[in-house]
Structures are given as structure tokens and as C-alpha cells.
Amino acid sequence: MRTPFKSGIPSSEITSESAWLKRRQLMTAVAGGALVGSALASALVSPGASALAAGQSLRHRPATANSPAGFYTTESLTPYEDVKRYNNFYEFGTDKGDPARHAHKMSIDPWSVRVDGAVDKPGVLNLEDILTGFDLEERVYRLRCVEAWSMVVPWMGFPLSDLLKRFQPTSKAKYVQFYTLLDREHMRGQRSFTSSIDWPYVEGLRMDEAMNPLTLMAVGLYGKPMPNQNGAPIRLVVPWKYGFKSIKSIFRIRLTQRRPKTSWELIAPQEYGFYANVNPQVDHPRWSQKTERRLPSTLFSPNRRDTLMFNGYGEQVAHLYKGMDLTRDY
Ligand code: MTE
């Protein structure tokens, strides 16, 4: 049997971004005063490619306890350093530390995302359009990897629906297909002879999943531009699905009438389905999905917890799968 996902190594405790946390505590304290929150956030720099280069904070609306249900959680955040150094980004290697080691070789400026297929207005968004053309907001989401580890990450981005609407999907648009950059020169994993992935990495969503308010196009985390290893400059985050659906460094978005194939489904369809909804009742053929290891996690303090149906987002998304057999459509 193939082993597409390597098992993870324990992550050690690392100090989190204390300045960011202080700001977040302040935001939570003033959760009743949205105006105060937005004034504080506005004091940060305006979005733009120069901010990306400088690694500065981007202006965004913070998530608070008053945000819509599902957009925020009071669970402890996974420290910034862990989020940046424990990654799956097979374009840079299969070891959890490879993306942090090698992803700086990928150039993200200039960058553009082509949107085409079943849309009335196909076109291209360049990096500046992406960073200045959308209202950025924070979402604090759980990320559950199919390998049974998880994180809590404060992402920054905008709903995918905001992007798709601009290109005016036609009635033929039933699915959305996403492509990661293909760049063999700078992505060493794409040159590897042992890789089972047929590059570029591709993913897909059904149109109603894509339009769900939880589905985020993320351009940063912890208030800062997206680190390359986490999928700069723009990635998908679909919090109720296994992490492999959250495709990184998106280069093209195509709306289609037929269900697109996805990278992991192509490699091992009996292990990784198109839907990939987090589901503790459907085990992976080679391991249990009933529990997960929340990072930071060590050998002596594994921080294990029960996995929740739809990763705890059932209230927001269970209706999308009404009448479906999720043991068959996994
Ligand atoms: N996107 C691309 N292009 N290549 C990848 O290898 N790995 C996926 C997903 N997106 C992957 C990807 C998997 S398996 C997971 S769990 C998440 O990214 C991990 O995101 P993180 O490294 O930011 O935690």
C-alpha cells in the first residue's frame, strides 16, 4: 500500500508571538465594541505588495467572540513558530521541516491568479488586486490534518465567495478547481523522481461548499502576510475538511461543470476522497480518525483530544451533505 503522507514528528513548545497575543487579548476584552476593534486594526499598515515584502502587519478586521458562529474559537492558539515550521507542502519535500527550510526559494511577487472556466468574466487578479481589493478579516479556525494532528490558527483573508462573484459564475459552474503554482526550478519536490503527485497539486470543491461563508482565501496568519511555507501569497482554508483540501499558493481557479479530480484522490482514491470532510466515524484505512494530536504536542504531553464531526463546524455545514452517505462519499 502506498504511503503518501509521512507520519509527523512531535513538535516542541515554542514561544508564541507575544505582541500579537496581547493585541488579541485586547480585542477579546473589547469584543462588545466593534468600533474600537476596527480602529485598532486600522492603525496597522494598509495592505499592499510592499507590506508583503516587509513582512509587516496587514490591516484587517479582527475576529472576536462577537464574530458570526464558527469564525472564532476561544481554544488556545497553536504558537506562530509551530504553525510556520511544522508543515505539509510537498512541493518542497515530505519532511515536516522541509517547507520551512526550502519555501523561501519560491518568489511570490509578482504573482497572479487566473480565474476562468464557467464564468462570464474570466480574468486575472494580480497580487496588488488581491491584497487591496478585498476586505481582509481574521478567522480563528481549527485545522485538522488527515494524519491526525491539528492546530488552531488565526488566519487572515476574505471569503472565497467574494472572489468568485467578481468573475460572475455561469449556471454551468457546479465545481471549483484550484491549481498550485508549477515551478520545477524553485520547488524541489516537483523535481523529485520519487514523488507520487502528478504536479501541479490540484484540489476542488462543490460550488455550494465554495460559497459557504466559512470557506476562506487566506493571505496571512497571526496578522502577518502568509509565510511561504504556509502557502503564500494566497491559499484556501476549508476548516471542516481535512487539511489536504486547503491548497496552498494558488495560481489558477477554474469553474467547471464536472467534478474535478484532486491530487490525493488521484494517488489513492480508497484513502482520500473528494469530500474529505472531517469525520471521526470513518477511519482512514491505515489509522483511526477518532482522536487527534493538537499542536504543540510532545511525547510526554501529546495533547490528544477527540476529533469532532465536521471538525466542530457541523452547525455551519452539515446541511450541505443532507441525504448523502458520508461513509461512501468520504
Ligand atoms: N497544498 C499544496 N500545494 N501542497 C501540499 O502538499 N498539503 C496539504 C495542504 N495544502 C499541501 C497543500 C496538507 S496535507 C495540509 S495538512 C495543509 O496544507 C497543511 O497546511 P499548513 O502547512 O499551513 O499547516
Side-chain angles (χ1 to χ4, degrees):
M1 192 174 296
R2 292 166 200 262
T3 313
F5 285 100
K6 289 181 82 175
S7 63
I9 43 156
S11 160
S12 59
E13 271 94 347
I14 293 275
T15 0
S16 61
E17 282 273 307
S18 55
W20 187 91
L21 282 173
K22 272 196 208 120
R23 188 173 69 78
R24 181 166 184 261
Q25 278 155 8
L26 185 61
M27 295 301 175
T28 311
V30 296
L35 277 178
V36 183
S38 49
L40 274 177
S42 303
L44 303 170
V45 296
S46 298
S50 54
L52 268 192
Q56 291 168 327
S57 298
L58 295 175
R59 180 167 30 180
H60 65 282
R61 192 166 66 248
T64 70
N66 285 352
S67 299
F71 288 13
Y72 175 79
T73 171
T74 53
E75 285 168 62
S76 301
L77 299 174
T78 300
Y80 185 49
E81 289 303 327
D82 283 344
V83 174
K84 283 196 313 174
R85 67 172 206 163
Y86 188 92
N87 301 104
N88 276 335
F89 199 169
Y90 278 27
E91 283 82 344
F92 295 103
T94 54
D95 187 87
K96 292 287 179 285
D98 280 341
R101 265 192 294 276
H102 302 291
H104 64 274
K105 290 174 196 143
M106 168 176 72
S107 166
I108 56 159
D109 191 7
W111 190 277
S112 59
V113 181
R114 179 148 60 98
V115 184
D116 58 11
V119 288
D120 274 336
K121 297 212 156 129
V124 169
L125 284 172
N126 63 41
L127 188 55
E128 205 66 31
D129 302 329
I130 294 167
L131 294 173
T132 59
F134 295 90
D135 288 336
L136 299 184
E137 58 183 284
E138 183 182 60
R139 301 282 179 90
V140 184
Y141 283 158
R142 292 174 287 277
L143 174 82
R144 169 56 158 88
C145 179
V146 74
E147 297 165 334
W149 53 264
S150 64
M151 300 190 185
V152 177
V153 182
W155 302 104
M156 196 174 44
F158 52 87
L160 172 61
S161 62
D162 284 1
L163 183 153
L164 293 179
K165 279 180 209 155
R166 293 201 186 176
F167 296 87
Q168 299 181 7
T170 69
S171 57
K172 289 196 172 132
K174 306 283 186 240
Y175 295 90
V176 187
Q177 185 172 25
F178 304 87
Y179 299 71
T180 292
L181 175 70
L182 182 66
D183 178 2
R184 289 205 166 86
E185 190 185 340
H186 300 106
M187 292 173 147
R188 61 201 289 277
Q190 294 183 342
R191 297 195 300 268
S192 162
F193 293 114
T194 55
S195 170
S196 39
I197 296 179
D198 185 14
W199 308 104
Y201 192 103
V202 282
E203 256 307 334
L205 292 174
R206 222 171 52 189
M207 196 64 184
D208 57 351
E209 297 176 321
M211 300 303 279
N212 186 279
L214 283 184
T215 307
L216 193 72
M217 294 300 282
V219 296
L221 51 87
Y222 269 98
K224 295 185 182 150
M226 191 68 75
N228 279 17
Q229 59 267 40
N230 293 92
I234 184 163
R235 71 174 289 175
L236 187 67
V237 181
V238 198
W240 72 95
K241 293 179 179 283
Y242 290 121
F244 65 84
K245 298 295 289 182
S246 293
I247 180 173
K248 296 178 171 182
S249 304
I250 295 170
F251 197 63
R252 182 181 176 198
I253 298 176
R254 195 165 72 95
L255 285 83
T256 64
Q257 194 165 13
R258 299 188 41 188
R259 190 166 105 180
K261 284 285 177 212
T262 66
S263 285
W264 289 107
E265 199 188 3
L266 284 164
I267 293 167
Q270 70 288 4
E271 301 191 6
Y272 309 104
F274 175 82
Y275 284 97
N277 291 315
V278 175
N279 188 343
Q281 282 132 40
V282 177
D283 284 340
H284 186 278
R286 289 180 283 131
W287 59 83
S288 164
Q289 294 292 25
K290 291 188 178 50
T291 64
E292 64 201 55
R293 202 166 47 83
R294 173 68 51 84
L295 302 187
S297 143
T298 63
L299 207 53
F300 299 110
S301 174
N303 204 5
R304 199 157 269 289
R305 59 191 65 214
D306 287 345
T307 288
L308 304 174
M309 185 66 204
F310 297 118
N311 204 19
Y313 298 100
E315 198 188 310
Q316 290 77 35
V317 302
H319 65 277
L320 299 173
Y321 309 103
K322 224 169 156 194
M324 283 175 62
D325 176 359
L326 296 181
T327 59
R328 208 176 44 109
D329 281 319
Y330 53 84

